[in-house]
Amino acid sequence: MSDLNIAVLGAGVVGLTTAFQLKTEFRNANIDVISEKFNEETTSHVAAGIFRPGSGFSGPTEEITEKWINDSYHYWDDIRNNSEGGVAGITSISGYVFSSEFPNIVRNYYLEKLVPLYRQATEEELKLCSGIWKYGSFFTTLLTQCSLYLPWITVKLKAKGVRFISKRIEGFGDIQNNYDAIINCTGLGAKFLCNDKKIVPIRGQVIKVEAPWLKTFFYGNYDTYIIPGIGSVTLGGCRQYDSYDMNINKYDSLSIKERCETLLPSLKGAKVLGERVGLRPHRDIVRVEKDVQIFNDRKLKIVHNYGHGGYGVTTAPGTSIHAVKLVREIFSGNSKL
Ligand SMILES: Cc1cc2nc3c(=O)[nH]c(=O)nc-3n(C[C@H](O)[C@H](O)[C@H](O)COP(=O)(O)OP(=O)(O)OC[C@H]3O[C@@H](n4cnc5c(N)ncnc54)[C@H](O)[C@@H]3O)c2cc1C
């Protein structure tokens, strides 16, 4: 398979993780990452990056969903455990999810089976934050900061000969002559590239503050979260369905600040480092599948890997492993294409 030319479209966490898995599996292939935006311009860069798959994340079957989540956890944990975990931005983090009304909110059936520590919060712990909390869980999970992971994996890919091309693609036909296969990891961009009506933006806004004393994450009611990372703490958040607004909204800022400071009064006066907006690329079922399109009698083989919504940092490795398996099927003659 030495002469294969493969393009990975998109340089967010999904695209770069896919390119990495692809280069590991197809060592001799020529791989290009083609993307309009890189690093801090991507949605991936906005994410706090906590490993916490939610009920809004789904693959085509429950078995596949669980495999994606498990494979992802082990990918992140393996990097964390080797000497490069720090430079790659992957750390372990513990914290609380509280709810004043619903016990289900504080349970995460995927994490319960996966992480080293997962338990109910004690009566004492339910009083840690202001508010009347009836239900709570405490667990240890992983945090991947894309501000470090994306540059780290870019260096790895370049060292393996992967080329990076800065370009916006208007349609697959733009590049079809140059490649044997394309892996489409364009997130929300896939809505337009594939005319996929099932993908919808869920707008989010966060505030980054300086609060080095905080080492624990907290989730409360109304999408309120406080997640300490390297160099800053992320305060969130909001989920606005079908909104494309990339401007910082002052009402969202005020609401996030008030909700987080009410939950944890020690945040009052923490220095604001910046605010960010991102559009989560939500699809009811994340699309990881083979496709074929015909241009001038030539069949273009495509593998899609997009639609991770609010869980793309968590689950990029699992869906990428699956996408690379589909590429393998295409070129080993097992494909129905
Ligand atoms: C506020 C917020 C908080 C979040 N927190 C978390 C979290 O804690 N944990 C978690 O797991 N997830 C979180 N997420 C979700 C996560 O950020 C996304 O699921 C993830 O970034 C999706 O990655 P992606 O690579 O698919 O998309 P992106 O990062 O958007 O990358 C898409 C890439 O495709 C390129 N592209 C698109 N169209 C084209 C085109 N036509 N031509 C060329 N290139 C193109 C773009 O330029 C970009 O490089 C959060 C999201 C937000 C907004």
Side-chain angles (χ1 to χ4, degrees), residues 14 172 182-186 190 193-194 196 286-293 301-306 308 319 322-323 326:
V14 177
F172 296 117
I182 290 174
I183 312 192
N184 173 23
C185 308
T186 52
L193 268 182
C194 307
D196 185 343
V286 180
R287 188 176 187 199
V288 185
E289 60 187 33
K290 290 181 276 191
D291 186 12
V292 66
Q293 296 192 11
K301 291 156 182 157
I302 302 170
V303 171
H304 299 286
N305 184 9
Y306 66 82
H308 298 63
T319 68
H322 191 156
L326 299 182

Side-chain angles (χ1 to χ4, degrees), residues 28-76:
N28 297 321
N30 303 309
I31 297 171
D32 290 347
V33 172
I34 304 174
S35 189
E36 183 186 10
K37 294 176 181 167
F38 294 89
N39 293 310
E40 62 278 0
E41 292 187 301
T42 62
T43 310
S44 303
H45 195 273
V46 179
I50 196 160
F51 190 99
R52 184 175 174 244
S55 51
F57 178 81
S58 181
T61 65
E62 187 48 34
E63 194 186 348
I64 291 173
T65 309
E66 197 159 344
K67 179 166 169 43
W68 287 349
I69 291 168
N70 290 349
D71 287 351
S72 296
Y73 186 85
H74 295 300
Y75 172 91
W76 295 125

Side-chain angles (χ1 to χ4, degrees), residues 46-164:
V46 179
I50 196 160
F51 190 99
R52 184 175 174 244
S55 51
F57 178 81
S58 181
T61 65
E62 187 48 34
E63 194 186 348
I64 291 173
T65 309
E66 197 159 344
K67 179 166 169 43
W68 287 349
I69 291 168
N70 290 349
D71 287 351
S72 296
Y73 186 85
H74 295 300
Y75 172 91
W76 295 125
D77 205 34
D78 285 351
I79 301 176
R80 185 184 71 87
N81 281 325
N82 75 31
S83 54
E84 293 194 273
V87 276
I90 303 159
T91 51
S92 169
I93 188 165
S94 301
Y96 297 92
V97 179
F98 293 129
S99 171
S100 54
E101 286 179 62
F102 303 108
N104 259 355
I105 291 180
V106 307
R107 286 202 67 175
N108 189 306
Y109 295 92
Y110 297 117
L111 288 184
E112 280 178 359
K113 290 187 260 175
L114 199 53
V115 297
L117 174 65
Y118 197 108
R119 61 166 173 77
Q120 278 186 358
T122 62
E123 287 300 321
E124 289 286 290
E125 288 170 324
L126 289 176
K127 294 177 196 137
L128 276 175
C129 290
S130 51
I132 298 170
W133 303 106
K134 272 169 98 175
Y135 308 100
S137 57
F138 176 82
F139 56 90
T140 300
T141 185
L142 299 171
L143 187 81
T144 300
Q145 268 188 241
C146 282
S147 55
L148 294 174
Y149 174 70
L150 297 181
W152 174 81
I153 202 158
T154 299
V155 169
K156 294 256 167 222
L157 289 166
K158 285 185 176 169
K160 288 171 185 276
V162 172
R163 293 193 311 165
F164 281 68

Side-chain angles (χ1 to χ4, degrees), residues 9-15 34-38 42-51 167-170 185-190 193 202 204-206 219 225 227 277-281 305-315:
L9 283 188
V13 66
V14 177
I34 304 174
S35 189
E36 183 186 10
K37 294 176 181 167
F38 294 89
T42 62
T43 310
S44 303
H45 195 273
V46 179
I50 196 160
F51 190 99
K167 183 176 177 172
R168 178 180 165 82
I169 302 298
E170 299 303 335
C185 308
T186 52
L188 190 62
L193 268 182
I202 301 181
Q205 184 168 319
V206 292
Y219 281 82
Y225 56 85
I227 304 177
V277 172
L279 307 179
R280 302 171 179 96
N305 184 9
Y306 66 82
H308 298 63
Y311 310 101
V313 183
T314 300
T315 57

